[in-house]
Amino acid sequence: MRFRHPDGSTVHLAYCTNVHPAETLDGVLAQLREHCEPVRRRLGRDRLGIGLWLAADAARTLDSDPSALRTLRAELDRRGLEVVTLNGFPYEGFGAEEVKYRVYKPDWADPERLEHTTALARVLAGLLPDDVTEGSISTLPLAWRTAHDAARAEKALRTLAERLDALEELTGKSLRVGLEPEPGCVVETTHDALAPLTAIAHPRIGVCVDTCHLATSFEDPHTAVDALTAAGVTIVKSQLSAALHAEHPHLPEVRAALAAFDEPRFLHQTRTATAAGLRGTDDLGEALSGDTLPDASPWRAHFHVPLHASPAAPLTSTLPVLETALTRLVGGPHPLTRHLEVETYTWQALPTELRPRGRTQLADGIAAELTLARDLLTDLGLKELP
């Protein structure tokens, strides 16, 4: 979906396909047919933006086989879909029964992360619509906090920037990669991103602002955006998502409600803001076990809840944080980023009674999220384009 900003520039809105498990090119092609096109039809649009997630196997196939890339591009066109952004964070296995810490491998000290992201960039250059010259890729925020070779990661990102420069010379397509701050990682917050990104100091390497992660870490959107812009850090893209919020985590009924979201597939890092600073656990189950996490103040958990459907009381979501962030990102005289991506990948991890039953309900839910995002953008003065 495209929108005209009051300054005349185009802002792109997509939804991320990491909600649909697929490891191969055939799986990606099936996604377009079974999920993405039905969402477009529900929205009554001739064209729908999708943020593709390409697992390692699919990315290698598309990068090494020009005919495979042509096939994907033709299928996108045939189904009224377009791609200006990729989710390059998960490497593979995101649809596995248990993902947890595996999603942080390989990290940016591992040469495979550089090669994978380079392949994604070449693929994206071939997928961009003919009238679009800028593409974006979100990526791992360096590494999970327990192991990190900072010098090697910085060198890899510098090499990536050089490769992106060369790719633009070759194709005319300008591609940028954004580290996606996430709780528990080396770059946990937008503040943590400032030092490594200013050290690299290359406009092709910036930040992806995920509004669920921003909220989980209790970051103020105004402060975060001000710091990034003051430091000259490029906001490559923003993932529009909402975290799980518990206002009174000391109450038994609140803990019982939270427990329904404690599931075995993904990590749900949980945080609370205290007078001594931010406190947290790696997973929601740890927070609910005894006195691990202080409960005198609200808790927020890294669980991407549907944007249009706040959890039932006594829980809620951090949608207001998303709304504030979006106002700062695209509500000013000029957009600070032109790529927006709804990223609720946890539909099948929701409590059983909230999960969509089959493709039809999932498509309905994704379309409802995109409708909400569209309404937020038009309320900010952006005009939806055909």
Side-chain angles (χ1 to χ4, degrees):
M1 299 169 75
R2 299 188 186 190
F3 296 81
R4 181 74 68 211
H5 190 274
D7 76 346
S9 62
T10 300
V11 173
H12 295 266
L13 173 66
Y15 92 87
C16 187
T17 64
N18 62 355
V19 63
H20 311 305
E23 299 288 320
T24 65
L25 176 57
D26 285 344
V28 171
L29 295 174
Q31 287 177 352
L32 305 185
R33 178 182 67 251
E34 297 171 1
H35 299 288
C36 302
E37 185 177 12
V39 171
R40 177 183 66 77
R41 292 186 181 281
R42 278 163 174 74
L43 291 166
R45 305 293 302 161
D46 293 332
R47 174 175 54 190
L48 175 67
I50 57 172
L52 270 182
W53 171 61
L54 297 172
D57 183 88
R60 281 192 293 266
T61 298
L62 291 164
D63 185 40
S64 62
D65 184 352
S67 66
L69 186 60
R70 287 194 296 270
T71 295
L72 176 57
R73 175 67 185 269
E75 191 70 0
L76 288 166
D77 292 341
R78 186 165 80 89
R79 300 194 180 279
L81 306 169
E82 66 177 12
V83 175
V84 303
T85 189
L86 299 180
N87 186 330
F89 193 146
Y91 177 76
E92 62 186 358
F94 202 60
E97 290 185 5
E98 182 177 329
V99 179
K100 298 290 184 181
Y101 295 95
R102 292 170 52 193
V103 76
Y104 306 106
K105 294 292 186 178
D107 64 32
W108 270 102
D110 186 330
E112 184 52 39
R113 176 61 67 171
L114 172 61
E115 297 311 314
H116 175 60
T117 309
T118 302
L120 291 177
R122 288 192 290 255
V123 169
L124 181 56
L127 293 180
L128 287 176
D130 293 339
D131 61 344
V132 175
T133 59
E134 295 183 355
S136 63
I137 303 171
S138 49
T139 190
L140 176 77
L142 300 184
W144 184 252
R145 69 176 184 276
T146 52
H148 175 53
D149 187 328
R152 186 174 295 181
E154 181 178 323
K155 181 179 179 181
L157 286 166
R158 290 183 184 278
T159 299
L160 177 65
E162 293 169 0
R163 292 179 179 181
L164 296 178
D165 284 341
L167 189 61
E168 182 172 15
E169 290 185 15
L170 181 66
T171 66
K173 304 296 185 179
S174 177
L175 304 180
R176 298 180 297 173
V177 172
L179 304 182
E180 182 185 331
E182 176 167 311
C185 293
V186 171
V187 176
E188 174 159 340
T189 66
T190 56
H191 177 78
D192 295 335
L194 297 178
L197 291 178
T198 53
I200 295 168
H202 198 294
R204 296 212 187 267
I205 311 298
V207 69
C208 167
V209 176
D210 183 302
T211 57
C212 171
H213 303 173
L214 190 80
T216 301
S217 294
F218 287 86
E219 288 197 81
D220 173 66
H222 295 292
T223 302
V225 172
D226 286 346
L228 291 170
T229 54
V233 172
T234 304
I235 302 176
V236 171
K237 65 188 276 190
S238 179
Q239 289 173 325
L240 306 183
S241 52
L244 192 62
H245 180 96
E247 186 68 18
H248 302 292
H250 65 285
L251 297 176
E253 61 268 29
V254 175
R255 289 189 173 236
L258 284 169
F261 287 84
D262 179 26
E263 55 83 37
R265 187 170 173 185
F266 301 109
L267 276 186
H268 300 295
Q269 302 93 314
T270 304
R271 299 289 184 267
T272 186
T274 72
L278 201 64
R279 294 280 302 278
T281 60
D282 284 356
D283 215 344
L284 180 56
E286 297 173 46
L288 293 169
S289 300
D291 300 323
T292 305
L293 194 63
D295 60 7
S297 299
W299 286 2
R300 289 178 179 172
H302 173 219
F303 196 120
H304 291 220
V305 295
L307 302 186
H308 68 291
S310 183
L315 303 178
T316 186
S317 82
T318 60
L319 183 63
V321 176
L322 182 160
E323 293 172 341
T324 301
L326 194 60
T327 299
R328 285 302 311 274
L329 291 171
V330 301
H334 305 287
L336 301 181
T337 185
R338 290 188 290 275
H339 291 177
L340 306 171
E341 179 183 56
V342 171
E343 198 216 8
T344 305
Y345 59 83
T346 45
W347 283 95
Q348 299 303 334
L350 290 166
T352 304
E353 66 276 11
L354 301 179
R355 294 177 194 171
R357 294 186 295 277
R359 296 177 195 164
T360 298
Q361 287 192 1
L362 178 59
D364 289 342
I366 294 170
E369 288 193 294
L370 285 166
T371 297
L372 182 147
R374 177 187 65 193
D375 291 346
L376 291 176
L377 290 172
T378 55
D379 287 348
L380 290 172
L382 283 73
K383 180 181 179 181
E384 188 175 5
L385 298 175

mmCIF file of all heavy atoms in Angstrom, residues 100 257-264 268 283-286 288 303:
data_model
loop_
_atom_site.group_PDB
_atom_site.id
_atom_site.type_symbol
_atom_site.label_atom_id
_atom_site.label_comp_id
_atom_site.label_asym_id
_atom_site.label_seq_id
_atom_site.Cartn_x
_atom_site.Cartn_y
_atom_site.Cartn_z
ATOM 1 N N LYS A 100 12.841 -19.732 20.108
ATOM 2 C CA LYS A 100 13.570 -19.204 21.264
ATOM 3 C C LYS A 100 14.890 -18.537 20.844
ATOM 4 O O LYS A 100 14.905 -17.675 19.981
ATOM 5 C CB LYS A 100 13.794 -20.311 22.291
ATOM 6 C CG LYS A 100 12.495 -20.899 22.864
ATOM 7 C CD LYS A 100 11.758 -19.942 23.762
ATOM 8 C CE LYS A 100 10.532 -20.595 24.393
ATOM 9 N NZ LYS A 100 9.783 -19.676 25.259
ATOM 10 N N ALA A 257 -3.749 -14.185 33.669
ATOM 11 C CA ALA A 257 -3.973 -13.762 32.283
ATOM 12 C C ALA A 257 -2.664 -13.787 31.497
ATOM 13 O O ALA A 257 -2.622 -14.213 30.337
ATOM 14 C CB ALA A 257 -4.588 -12.366 32.266
ATOM 15 N N LEU A 258 -1.576 -13.341 32.123
ATOM 16 C CA LEU A 258 -0.276 -13.366 31.466
ATOM 17 C C LEU A 258 0.176 -14.792 31.173
ATOM 18 O O LEU A 258 0.781 -15.070 30.130
ATOM 19 C CB LEU A 258 0.773 -12.669 32.330
ATOM 20 C CG LEU A 258 0.740 -11.142 32.367
ATOM 21 C CD1 LEU A 258 1.662 -10.621 33.457
ATOM 22 C CD2 LEU A 258 1.145 -10.573 31.012
ATOM 23 N N ALA A 259 -0.117 -15.692 32.085
ATOM 24 C CA ALA A 259 0.319 -17.084 31.927
ATOM 25 C C ALA A 259 -0.239 -17.707 30.653
ATOM 26 O O ALA A 259 0.378 -18.610 30.072
ATOM 27 C CB ALA A 259 -0.086 -17.903 33.147
ATOM 28 N N ALA A 260 -1.380 -17.233 30.208
ATOM 29 C CA ALA A 260 -1.974 -17.772 28.979
ATOM 30 C C ALA A 260 -1.131 -17.428 27.749
ATOM 31 O O ALA A 260 -1.266 -18.074 26.701
ATOM 32 C CB ALA A 260 -3.393 -17.237 28.804
ATOM 33 N N PHE A 261 -0.274 -16.421 27.872
ATOM 34 C CA PHE A 261 0.592 -16.007 26.761
ATOM 35 C C PHE A 261 1.993 -16.611 26.862
ATOM 36 O O PHE A 261 2.835 -16.357 25.995
ATOM 37 C CB PHE A 261 0.693 -14.476 26.713
ATOM 38 C CG PHE A 261 -0.557 -13.800 26.224
ATOM 39 C CD1 PHE A 261 -1.607 -13.536 27.097
ATOM 40 C CD2 PHE A 261 -0.691 -13.433 24.892
ATOM 41 C CE1 PHE A 261 -2.763 -12.912 26.650
ATOM 42 C CE2 PHE A 261 -1.846 -12.807 24.437
ATOM 43 C CZ PHE A 261 -2.889 -12.552 25.317
ATOM 44 N N ASP A 262 2.245 -17.376 27.914
ATOM 45 C CA ASP A 262 3.535 -18.028 28.091
ATOM 46 C C ASP A 262 3.539 -19.315 27.277
ATOM 47 O O ASP A 262 2.967 -20.325 27.691
ATOM 48 C CB ASP A 262 3.777 -18.312 29.581
ATOM 49 C CG ASP A 262 5.098 -19.015 29.823
ATOM 50 O OD1 ASP A 262 6.011 -18.850 28.990
ATOM 51 O OD2 ASP A 262 5.198 -19.731 30.840
ATOM 52 N N GLU A 263 4.148 -19.282 26.107
ATOM 53 C CA GLU A 263 4.076 -20.421 25.185
ATOM 54 C C GLU A 263 5.503 -20.833 24.790
ATOM 55 O O GLU A 263 6.450 -20.078 24.981
ATOM 56 C CB GLU A 263 3.207 -20.065 23.983
ATOM 57 C CG GLU A 263 3.616 -18.809 23.233
ATOM 58 C CD GLU A 263 4.724 -19.062 22.239
ATOM 59 O OE1 GLU A 263 4.738 -20.128 21.606
ATOM 60 O OE2 GLU A 263 5.602 -18.197 22.094
ATOM 61 N N PRO A 264 5.683 -22.024 24.237
ATOM 62 C CA PRO A 264 7.019 -22.591 24.073
ATOM 63 C C PRO A 264 7.760 -22.231 22.799
ATOM 64 O O PRO A 264 8.913 -22.630 22.641
ATOM 65 C CB PRO A 264 6.736 -24.106 24.097
ATOM 66 C CG PRO A 264 5.375 -24.221 23.483
ATOM 67 C CD PRO A 264 4.622 -23.020 23.969
ATOM 68 N N HIS A 268 9.693 -14.407 24.974
ATOM 69 C CA HIS A 268 8.858 -13.243 25.278
ATOM 70 C C HIS A 268 9.531 -12.481 26.420
ATOM 71 O O HIS A 268 9.104 -12.538 27.578
ATOM 72 C CB HIS A 268 7.438 -13.687 25.635
ATOM 73 C CG HIS A 268 6.767 -14.444 24.531
ATOM 74 N ND1 HIS A 268 6.458 -13.860 23.322
ATOM 75 C CD2 HIS A 268 6.378 -15.740 24.436
ATOM 76 C CE1 HIS A 268 5.895 -14.762 22.532
ATOM 77 N NE2 HIS A 268 5.846 -15.913 23.181
ATOM 78 N N ASP A 283 12.321 -14.479 29.411
ATOM 79 C CA ASP A 283 11.064 -15.046 28.938
ATOM 80 C C ASP A 283 9.959 -14.758 29.956
ATOM 81 O O ASP A 283 10.222 -14.478 31.134
ATOM 82 C CB ASP A 283 11.208 -16.548 28.718
ATOM 83 C CG ASP A 283 10.386 -17.049 27.541
ATOM 84 O OD1 ASP A 283 9.483 -16.317 27.080
ATOM 85 O OD2 ASP A 283 10.631 -18.179 27.071
ATOM 86 N N LEU A 284 8.731 -14.819 29.472
ATOM 87 C CA LEU A 284 7.583 -14.501 30.313
ATOM 88 C C LEU A 284 7.445 -15.492 31.461
ATOM 89 O O LEU A 284 7.112 -15.107 32.591
ATOM 90 C CB LEU A 284 6.313 -14.469 29.458
ATOM 91 C CG LEU A 284 4.995 -14.159 30.161
ATOM 92 C CD1 LEU A 284 5.048 -12.829 30.903
ATOM 93 C CD2 LEU A 284 3.857 -14.149 29.134
ATOM 94 N N GLY A 285 7.713 -16.765 31.203
ATOM 95 C CA GLY A 285 7.601 -17.763 32.255
ATOM 96 C C GLY A 285 8.522 -17.486 33.428
ATOM 97 O O GLY A 285 8.148 -17.699 34.594
ATOM 98 N N GLU A 286 9.726 -16.986 33.135
ATOM 99 C CA GLU A 286 10.662 -16.627 34.204
ATOM 100 C C GLU A 286 10.095 -15.492 35.055
ATOM 101 O O GLU A 286 10.236 -15.487 36.279
ATOM 102 C CB GLU A 286 11.995 -16.197 33.616
ATOM 103 C CG GLU A 286 12.741 -17.257 32.833
ATOM 104 C CD GLU A 286 13.968 -16.677 32.159
ATOM 105 O OE1 GLU A 286 14.710 -15.930 32.831
ATOM 106 O OE2 GLU A 286 14.176 -16.954 30.966
ATOM 107 N N LEU A 288 7.038 -14.842 35.630
ATOM 108 C CA LEU A 288 5.899 -15.309 36.420
ATOM 109 C C LEU A 288 6.313 -16.268 37.532
ATOM 110 O O LEU A 288 5.489 -16.618 38.380
ATOM 111 C CB LEU A 288 4.890 -16.001 35.498
ATOM 112 C CG LEU A 288 4.185 -15.094 34.482
ATOM 113 C CD1 LEU A 288 3.419 -15.930 33.471
ATOM 114 C CD2 LEU A 288 3.252 -14.115 35.181
ATOM 115 N N PHE A 303 5.653 -9.758 23.126
ATOM 116 C CA PHE A 303 4.690 -10.650 22.471
ATOM 117 C C PHE A 303 3.912 -9.770 21.503
ATOM 118 O O PHE A 303 3.150 -8.904 21.934
ATOM 119 C CB PHE A 303 3.752 -11.288 23.500
ATOM 120 C CG PHE A 303 2.991 -12.474 22.993
ATOM 121 C CD1 PHE A 303 3.128 -13.718 23.582
ATOM 122 C CD2 PHE A 303 2.120 -12.351 21.910
ATOM 123 C CE1 PHE A 303 2.440 -14.824 23.113
ATOM 124 C CE2 PHE A 303 1.414 -13.445 21.431
ATOM 125 C CZ PHE A 303 1.581 -14.684 22.036
#
